[in-house]
Amino acid sequence: MVKYIFSFLFLITFQLAFSQKHSISGYVEDLMTGERVIGANVVDNIGKNAVQTNNYGFYTLRNVGEKVAVQAIYFGNTSDIKELTLTRDTLINFSVRSVKELNEVVVVSSKYNNSVNNRLGFNNISVKQLTSLPALGEPDLLKSIQSQAGIKGGVEGSAGIFVRGGGGGENLFMLDEVPIYNVSHLYGFFSAFNSSAVKDIKLIKGCFPARYGGRASSVVDVRSLDGNNKSVKGEFSLGFISSRFTLEGPLFNDKTTFLISGRRSYFDLYSNSLKSLKILAKDFPDYYFYDLNARIAHTFTQKDKIYLSIYKGKDNIQNKNESSVMTGKSSMSTESSNETSGWGNLIGSFRWNHTNGTRLFVNTTLSYSNYNYFSDNNYVNIKKDTVSHNQSEKRMVASYRSNITDIMIKTDFDYALSNKQNLTFGAGNTFRTIQPGENHYLADNQEINEKIDTSYTNRIIVASEPFSYVEDEIKATENLIINAGLRLSGFLSDSHRWFNLEPRLSANYTVSPSLVFKAGYSRMVQYMHLLSSSGVSMPTDLWVPAANGLLPLKSDQINLGFGWNWGEKLLFSVEIYHKWLTNTTDIRDGMSLITDLAPWYDKTAQGHGISKGIELSVDKQQGRWKGSFHYTLSSADRIYSEINNGQSFPFKFDRRHDLNISVNYQISPRWDISAMWFFGSGYPVTLPVERYAPALRLWNYDTSAGDEIGYMPSRNNCRLPAYHRLDLGIHYKKTNRLGEHGISFDIFNAYNRHNPVNAHFYFYIPVYTYLLPCIPSVTYTLKF
Amino acid sequence: MQFSALKKPINFLLFAISLLLQTACQLEQISLPDTGRKIVLNGLINSDSLIRVYVGKSIYISDSDGFVVQNLDNAKVYIYQNGLIIDSLQHDFKVINWGVFYPSGNYYSKKVKPLPGKEYRIVAKIPGLPDVSATAILPNPVKIEKVDAAEIRLDPSNEDALKCNIKFADPLNETNYYLVEVFYKYGDQITPIISERFTCKDPVVEEYLSDGEIAGGNLAGVVFSDKVINGKTYSLNLTIWRNPAHSGVGLRSVIYFHLYSISENYFKYIRTLNLYNAKFGKPLSEPVQVFSNITGGYGIFAGAAVSCDSLVFNR
């Protein structure tokens, strides 16, 4: 069967490749900034052909006649029509106004409005939409992703997303094609992506193209701005918790652009004032995060452009204490402690875009990505005799570190065989160094002359993850578009060698211009596992490779659905998915990643996961009233032979009903208001429901347990109360000679719902903890 | 702009932040479903004693007034062998709620002392509660071949102690589990070796029986499997800190060594119970489900076969 499919594809390829006439290719750029536009349509009004720009704004329109009338269209904005008589292959660049600059989107014909044609599982998240919805302090990419159908956001205070029953570590976050391991600040309240520096966001949760791999459940492809090549522009924003700035413009000439964008929280700067006013407890920790994006892009010729990008982000939490007491007439004891922990990413990339003729676009990427987590605890007790000045010191140090570094090189080719067929292929390798956790303890007690210096270190693992892929998008008939692909991936370490083939297939069948039926299948293989204590996604989670008994994670997903554009106003989308996860990883009963000193592979168990669901989306993105409705009905279960007596149990982030409704109303060109409401049925938790006497009283002094047993029928046997929250926002903007001033007033959790974070017992009464009450915030933004 | 003009916004900001922080991490009550009570049956039977089991009932998790040892005195408890009832257990009002074996059994047999290699089934019935049943097979005993002891002086405490080796041959081609307990007889009284007198740092040991109530958190027994000694003759090392040879004058004292062959269920129970206690209330650890083999209820019914040896000290 596979043989016939590939023969069929080859014949179509052959026929289409040799029946073409002339080609037009080039870039579509933003009229105001020179920024290359992703996903714009280039249309030949005479030949009635249309193609879309790729991730670098490049297009190829092939097989056109001698006379063409071409223009670029992007979300209803059109470039000038260029009428030409062609005698050979020609390079044409277009300038189009980007939607980001508009107050209101113009209605556009559905023929070139590609939302309804989006492949199953694809979501394009508008950067403008980020700023038009209520936010906690500032627009946030992760929060916006969490509001999409099929995506769950974990609990407040934990990072990450959970896509279609997948785990927190099964999502490939890419910033300018470089994988980024930790995407959150402040335990998930802010994402690591600074929205001021973002150009385009794609979320893929099924029917994955073959160019993506390495994670089992989703891809979040974030592209940052190249930098304005017309003039120096900037943005400054002062918020409740953090502030940010962005500066971009041409450097020396319009061929070279720069962009620098930074953000920092400042709670640590005023926490001392709060402590001195006794509003905060003395031992309340100081916290800050920052991130910095810098980029230089240089266009050598129409054919060559390079990008150099750097991202650095860090979270730091510190708690310092010192106290002295007189312990006798002449002896003083001084205790000081300093607990610091933090996590951060450092990524850098060099990319080179090259076009060869009008057909072939080549992108080569060399990148570096590092994620590290550290925790240091220092305790010093000095006993000093104030008369004799003799002193003794007791010092204890406990530290923990984990680290992962990737160096990746890859080349992607985009080859336009015709207007009806596009071939994408490429290969690359990631060289990876993994340090999965190191504990170090130092105790130095001068009083009894005792010194202990011990390290428990997991072996550093060096591995490589090569891949190659080919992907063919064919417009087989006027109504049928097929995307077929195959990815070969591998993982090579000194002890293991894995190779896997990952087939991908999706098809869109257009019944009418406003109704498209879709189907697809994809297999994804993941060679890195994210181990998470208690299932909550935290910076302490540990990335470990498929080694020491752990097998690679595989996901197989089938999807069915349709998109319906109703009266050019509402876009309906329905998707059904069924996903099988093989070799999911979980922590064994009673194990903890950090506090248990056993190696990580002794703390884990592997099993299977099954998830299924139906997602319904309704979007209205035109007119003064805009809004969206996303509902998901789903279930996600796990089965492990070593957990829960081999019985199936609900996944930690299984949520039966998930609903998100958002609306935005443009009152006037200056004012708009927005509201967003979330509802999700409660996440499962493991809680005992009865108590009984043990046969053996094995008392544990550490936990004061041993007199009774709490009976839990199964893992994740109970459900937390439902999560719901209303966020409100009102935005005002005004332009004067300084630039565009904007003020946003937002209320997070407007009706002060106490949303559950976790559950435990408090004197035999089951209780849940909640974190975030109603929080108002004001943000001032100046764009110049 | 004067700094004083900023005071009001700053005060508002401080107020808002403090409101956020002060209200963070608050608690709300959850209601858990009450699915009714069940019978608790705990019976660790062994080949040197008549059968004795504890029969009680569970309590609702939020029942803060209820003591967890809920004895039931109206149960019908039957012991089966090969499908036939071999005894109906008698109720005993003397339930002792302390000790490693906690609580001690409130139902006992007057005649059935379990035999190694045999399977026993227990059924308990109480009006108003679902019936419970369980099966236990007593393993065959593994004989203590030899016990050696040497007097040593411990560093740095400078205390006298006995270093003992318990030698036994693990049967080949079968999985075996062991429990070792040490008792001390001084005069007419037999007591467990307690009060920091018994330590075992042998590498084969996987679990410890440690009772805080009677031993101040010290050792009452050690448990291990044969995963690294399968089919081998092995000498288990342990240290008894109180050297009975030096205690008292003119009295005879005896140290008894018990090597129990325990069933896999017994081993699983000890392992999961220890883990449950160690992880109790720790938010970053996955909760532990304690092993139970009682159908229709909670608890453990498992068996052990004992082999004994002793050291006698005469003064």
Side-chain angles (χ1 to χ4, degrees), chain A residues 559-758:
Chain A
N559 303 264
L560 285 172
F562 68 88
W564 180 38
N565 198 344
W566 183 64
E568 309 289 351
K569 288 175 184 169
L570 292 178
L571 181 69
F572 289 84
S573 169
V574 174
E575 295 193 16
I576 300 168
Y577 67 89
H578 196 126
K579 187 156 90 174
W580 295 265
L581 290 161
T582 310
N583 303 328
T584 55
T585 305
D586 210 333
I587 300 288
R588 289 172 197 266
D589 280 0
M591 286 294 174
S592 167
L593 274 183
I594 294 180
T595 54
D596 288 306
L597 296 176
W600 50 268
Y601 41 85
D602 283 348
K603 302 176 193 175
T604 51
Q606 283 203 299
H608 303 277
I610 293 175
S611 59
K612 53 196 169 189
I614 179 165
E615 299 166 0
L616 169 66
S617 295
V618 184
D619 284 285
K620 180 181 183 297
Q621 295 304 330
Q622 295 163 2
R624 294 174 76 175
W625 280 100
K626 299 185 187 72
S628 62
F629 172 96
H630 300 289
Y631 170 73
T632 309
L633 173 68
S634 62
S635 74
D637 294 315
R638 295 284 188 271
I639 304 165
Y640 293 84
S641 60
E642 297 165 79
I643 297 173
N644 201 43
N645 299 318
Q647 302 295 307
S648 167
F649 62 91
F651 177 50
K652 180 86 184 168
F653 294 98
D654 171 44
R655 181 174 262 177
R656 197 68 68 243
H657 305 281
D658 203 30
L659 175 65
N660 171 253
I661 301 170
S662 64
V663 288
N664 175 277
Y665 180 64
Q666 189 82 41
I667 301 168
S668 72
R670 288 185 177 176
W671 289 92
D672 73 271
I673 54 172
S674 57
M676 211 169 181
W677 188 66
F678 298 86
F679 174 86
S681 37
Y683 283 134
V685 286
T686 310
L687 288 175
V689 293
E690 286 183 87
R691 294 184 283 140
Y692 65 95
L696 297 164
R697 181 183 269 180
L698 305 179
W699 184 259
N700 188 297
Y701 272 99
D702 230 16
T703 57
S704 298
D707 276 345
E708 59 186 44
I709 297 170
Y711 171 70
M712 290 159 275
S714 68
R715 189 181 272 201
N716 295 337
N717 60 312
C718 296
R719 294 265 170 185
L720 288 168
Y723 182 101
H724 51 91
R725 192 185 88 215
L726 176 69
D727 298 344
L728 299 171
I730 182 160
H731 310 115
Y732 172 77
K733 62 186 172 190
K734 184 184 178 184
T735 306
N736 65 13
R737 62 185 175 79
L738 289 175
E740 184 186 290
H741 304 262
I743 293 179
S744 297
F745 178 71
D746 298 289
I747 303 174
F748 175 89
N749 195 3
Y751 54 81
N752 196 29
R753 161 76 178 170
H754 295 170
N755 280 308
V757 173
N758 65 20

Side-chain angles (χ1 to χ4, degrees), chain A residues 326 329-332 384-390:
Chain A
M326 293 298 290
K329 279 185 180 174
S330 63
S331 63
M332 174 182 270
K384 190 173 181 180
D385 192 306
T386 52
V387 178
S388 65
H389 297 290
N390 290 335

Side-chain angles (χ1 to χ4, degrees), chain A residues 128-393:
Chain A
K128 183 175 170 59
Q129 198 182 344
L130 288 184
T131 56
S132 64
L133 291 172
L136 176 58
E138 62 175 77
D140 189 80
L141 190 148
L142 264 187
K143 292 280 179 288
S144 182
I145 289 173
Q146 286 166 3
S147 71
Q148 303 295 313
I151 315 289
K152 288 155 184 68
V155 293
E156 282 170 353
S158 77
I161 57 172
F162 301 87
V163 182
R164 291 182 169 175
E170 296 170 21
N171 310 302
L172 177 65
F173 288 94
M174 295 201 304
L175 180 61
D176 295 326
E177 306 208 15
V178 185
I180 180 166
Y181 280 94
N182 186 291
V183 291
S184 72
H185 290 304
L186 190 56
Y187 294 94
F189 294 124
F190 292 90
S191 77
F193 303 103
N194 183 344
S195 61
S196 304
V198 170
K199 175 162 72 173
D200 185 77
I201 308 152
K202 274 193 193 71
L203 165 68
I204 308 167
K205 53 195 180 180
C207 294
F208 301 93
R211 77 196 84 145
Y212 296 112
R215 296 289 185 277
S217 286
S218 82
V219 175
V220 179
D221 188 353
V222 180
R223 307 273 165 169
S224 55
L225 292 163
D226 296 349
N228 192 320
N229 71 354
K230 310 284 184 191
S231 59
V232 174
K233 296 282 180 186
E235 182 178 331
F236 170 74
S237 178
L238 184 67
F240 178 59
I241 296 165
S242 66
S243 286
R244 58 200 164 103
F245 76 94
T246 303
L247 197 65
E248 57 176 326
L251 198 66
F252 313 123
N253 54 43
D254 66 350
K255 287 184 181 298
T256 309
T257 58
F258 77 94
L259 179 136
I260 183 162
S261 181
R263 186 168 51 153
R264 193 192 190 280
S265 68
Y266 29 71
F267 174 69
D268 57 317
L269 303 179
Y270 52 65
S271 64
N272 282 336
S273 307
L274 294 170
K275 286 177 189 176
S276 60
L277 290 169
K278 296 190 175 172
I279 292 170
L280 276 184
K282 197 180 158 190
D283 57 355
F284 200 90
D286 295 331
Y287 172 84
Y288 71 84
F289 73 80
Y290 71 82
D291 51 37
L292 185 73
N293 289 276
R295 166 183 273 208
I296 290 176
H298 179 73
T299 307
F300 287 99
T301 63
Q302 285 288 354
K303 291 187 169 183
D304 293 285
K305 184 169 184 175
I306 59 166
Y307 305 82
L308 191 63
S309 311
I310 290 174
Y311 167 86
K312 169 94 175 99
K314 187 184 177 186
D315 287 60
N316 198 86
I317 186 161
Q318 187 174 39
N319 194 2
K320 273 184 176 174
N321 275 305
E322 187 169 314
S323 62
S324 296
V325 287
M326 293 298 290
T327 53
K329 279 185 180 174
S330 63
S331 63
M332 174 182 270
S333 172
T334 303
E335 280 187 339
S336 62
S337 65
N338 185 355
E339 297 160 2
T340 310
S341 62
W343 58 97
N345 298 287
L346 171 64
I347 67 175
S349 69
F350 169 80
R351 283 177 296 150
W352 171 34
N353 287 179
H354 174 72
T355 52
N356 196 340
T358 55
R359 292 186 187 187
L360 184 65
F361 177 88
V362 185
N363 174 59
T364 301
T365 305
L366 176 66
S367 70
Y368 170 90
S369 176
N370 171 268
Y371 171 67
N372 71 83
Y373 173 81
F374 72 92
S375 168
D376 289 319
N377 295 305
N378 287 281
Y379 168 83
V380 179
N381 182 0
I382 299 172
K383 288 180 181 167
K384 190 173 181 180
D385 192 306
T386 52
V387 178
S388 65
H389 297 290
N390 290 335
Q391 71 171 44
S392 66
E393 185 178 299

Side-chain angles (χ1 to χ4, degrees), chain B residues 55-56 70-76 91-93 106-107 126:
Chain B
V55 180
Q70 296 274 320
N71 305 324
L72 292 172
D73 54 12
N74 57 339
K76 302 281 183 200
H91 181 245
D92 182 359
F93 286 94
N106 52 351
Y107 286 84
I126 291 152

